[in-house]
Amino acid sequence: MPETTPSQTVGPYLSIGLPWPDGPEVVPADEPAAIRIHGRVLDGAGDPVPDAMIETWQADADGRFDHPDDPRGAVASGFRGFGRCPTDPDGNYEIRTIKPGLVPGPAGSTQAPHIDVSVLARGLLHRVVTRIYFEDDDTSQDPVLASVPESRRSTLIATKTDEGYRFDVRLQGAGETVFFDV
Amino acid sequence: MSAPAELRLPRYRRDPEGTHPPLDYAGYRSTALRHPQEPLIVLPHLLTEVTGPALGPGRIGEFDNDLTQGHEGEPQGQRIIVTGRLLDGDGRPVRDSLVEIWQANAGGRYRHTGDRWPSPIDPHFDGAGRTLTDSEGRYTFTTIKPGAYPWKNHDNAWRPAHIHFSVFGSAFTQRLVTQMYFPEDPLFSQDPIFNSIPDEKARQRMIARFDLDRTEAEWALAFQFDIVVRGREASVFEDEEDEH
């Protein structure tokens, strides 16, 4: 059987090949339920990472995925569920999307609304993966958050702002974001 | 929410130790301030992780897989055809799936304001392409063989010629960004990015094969490069279903 091809860094010039004009727009501008998720990617010195890319993957508002492996049946919603945004010179990114719904978890549990995130950048030989949760949701029963040391859970929770939600990614050091092994 | 009482989802094998590079790799200096220091936490493969975006349809233009087109003139350098298949670790083709590439020009320069290496910019080469795999997971690009280029990672550091590849597979767990290298490159021995892969056999899987059969006479050389994303675990799911 073929074996997996190794990962390599996206390098400093990922912006040549990866961004799309509508990449950060998971939903159109006229979507009434649209939210803006924004933040910065910061390195271990607290400096912005200007050559990173954030990719997001999430359920729709009903917590469903338009995918054959969603056992509840694919939803022909046309909701792409995928967002992609390179960081700007100050390390900022921004995604326009909708809040995902509750998603089924293992053994009859329920996952709080969340978005899976890949972070790619020069200096990252392999993507790192994190999750965004939302501070105005009840996350107390979420099985994934429960597996994270309590002292670090706040790094996974986006804070409400006037403009949507703020979610910073700290690659290293004080307040380092929780990253997952997928 | 109409969830079944217990979810039965496909499971994906985690890749063997040594397949992927460590996040901290002293030889590649840029990892120093960018690698997480806390241990990664195992993320179970739940619904969000076993699904993924179906990208591509409607997103590909006619010449997006031919990087030598779209300008007034011909780009400089050696034309090459790069073909391959996108497979999962069980040998199944990943169909109708988006493959994206980006690369330097023949002189080893990226068309990017940040690239100051004094090799000429080619006005007829942008260095970006995308395509969809076909029903058997095949893709094809026509492009220019990229040049090696110096970088400041260490004394007299040069990157071996490479093309960046980005693929999605069909699940979040399969997402992969890698680089395709060319056979017998003399720069492998001093390149920390290539050598960051611990397993020698895994490292070799990033090197394309020269493909005489696909060359086009008096026009282009050809290289073959398969990309493999992780496979599914032997299906516990179906066994369990059978017992019911």
Side-chain angles (χ1 to χ4, degrees), chain A:
Chain A
M1 282 300 155
E3 293 176 271
T4 308
T5 307
S7 167
Q8 295 275 267
T9 176
V10 291
Y13 305 128
L14 62 95
S15 62
I16 293 172
L18 290 174
W20 300 329
D22 64 345
E25 295 156 24
V26 182
V27 294
D30 60 0
E31 163 60 49
I35 57 169
R36 176 175 172 260
I37 297 174
H38 61 105
R40 294 176 89 194
V41 180
L42 302 164
D43 71 12
D47 291 330
V49 177
D51 45 15
M53 193 175 68
I54 296 287
E55 287 185 348
T56 61
W57 171 241
Q58 65 170 97
D60 68 13
D62 296 323
R64 303 182 76 168
F65 295 92
D66 188 1
H67 189 280
D69 287 334
D70 187 332
R72 298 160 299 169
V75 191
S77 60
F79 173 69
R80 188 168 74 207
F82 175 75
R84 172 187 263 183
C85 186
T87 53
D88 72 10
D90 296 319
N92 292 296
Y93 75 92
E94 177 176 336
I95 301 276
R96 186 175 65 231
T97 185
I98 52 167
K99 195 113 167 263
L102 299 167
V103 174
S109 66
T110 300
Q111 300 184 72
H114 66 273
I115 297 176
D116 271 13
V117 179
S118 299
V119 183
L120 304 112
R122 174 180 66 90
L124 280 175
L125 285 161
H126 199 3
R127 70 167 170 166
V128 289
V129 168
T130 186
R131 273 187 168 195
I132 297 174
Y133 290 86
F134 301 90
E135 73 166 351
D136 45 354
D137 288 330
D138 175 7
T139 53
S140 61
Q141 303 302 311
D142 185 87
V144 171
L145 269 181
S147 74
V148 173
E150 199 171 355
S151 62
R152 302 189 61 209
R153 282 179 206 160
S154 65
T155 70
L156 298 176
I157 297 174
T159 53
K160 204 153 179 24
T161 66
D162 292 344
E163 306 166 275
Y165 292 89
R166 180 173 189 97
F167 184 79
D168 289 336
V169 175
R170 289 184 175 78
L171 291 172
Q172 187 185 85
E176 182 178 302
T177 301
V178 167
F179 297 106
F180 294 100
D181 175 3
V182 285

Side-chain angles (χ1 to χ4, degrees), chain B residues 73-79 105-107 121-125 143-145:
Chain B
E74 290 274 329
Q76 294 291 316
Q78 173 69 62
R79 265 190 299 268
N105 69 21
I121 289 172
D122 186 337
H124 303 310
F125 192 72
T143 183
I144 295 291
K145 188 175 180 195

